[in-house]
């Protein structure tokens, strides 16, 4: 299963390297993202994010994910939220992006 992101707009305030290197609390504060969990714990599912009309985003990570999985998935979803390239992440991580109307974006 691919990671899904619902996105209404993009912000690009950091580089991909910064997203990967900043302490998690600092990263989330800089990009106005909060973390939550989902009970979707299927193999290969890493999480999803939603972007609210205010521009604030929430990243949902499977409740049974380990610390490393949680860290990588969160940083990947933040990278997608910012519209940055994802070449620093494993190829197994993929995202499907939907607009506010629920239509898949190319």
């Amino acid at each position: 299963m691919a990671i899904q992101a619902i996105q209404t707009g993009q912000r690009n305030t950091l580089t991909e390297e910064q997203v990967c290197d900043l302490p998690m609390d600092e990263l989330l504060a800089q990009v106005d993202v909060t973390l939550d969990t989902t009970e979707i714990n299927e193999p290969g599912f890493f999480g999803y994010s939603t972007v609210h009309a205010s521009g604030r985003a929430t990243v949902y990570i499977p409740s049974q994910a380990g610390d490393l999985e949680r860290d990588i998935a969160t940083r990947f979803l933040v990278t997608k939220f910012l519209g940055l390239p994802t070449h620093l992440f494993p190829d197994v991580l993929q995202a499907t992006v939907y607009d506010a109307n629920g239509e898949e974006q190319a």
Side-chain angles (χ1 to χ4, degrees):
M1 234 182 234
I3 294 176
Q4 296 180 334
I6 299 171
Q7 190 166 352
T8 58
Q10 293 182 356
R11 293 195 266 172
N12 192 353
T13 58
L14 299 173
T15 66
E16 183 182 2
E17 290 80 8
Q18 289 171 312
V19 172
C20 291
D21 292 339
L22 284 171
M24 186 62 72
D25 289 344
E26 186 178 336
L27 170 63
L28 297 175
Q30 283 195 32
V31 296
D32 202 17
V33 171
T34 57
L35 290 179
D36 206 340
T37 59
T38 178
E39 292 306 314
I40 303 170
N41 288 291
E42 300 295 323
F45 181 77
F46 298 100
Y48 65 95
S49 64
T50 59
V51 181
H52 310 278
S54 66
R56 182 174 184 77
T58 303
V59 170
Y60 297 88
I61 303 298
S63 61
Q64 296 176 4
D67 291 341
L68 182 59
E69 292 169 307
R70 182 180 311 275
D71 186 81
I72 292 170
T74 300
R75 292 175 191 280
F76 178 79
L77 288 168
V78 168
T79 299
K80 293 300 291 183
F81 169 63
L82 296 174
L84 296 169
T86 58
H87 66 276
L88 295 178
F89 294 91
D91 290 338
V92 69
L93 296 178
Q94 298 176 11
T96 303
V97 179
Y98 298 93
D99 66 16
N101 299 317
E103 295 186 26
E104 189 173 335
Q105 300 298 295

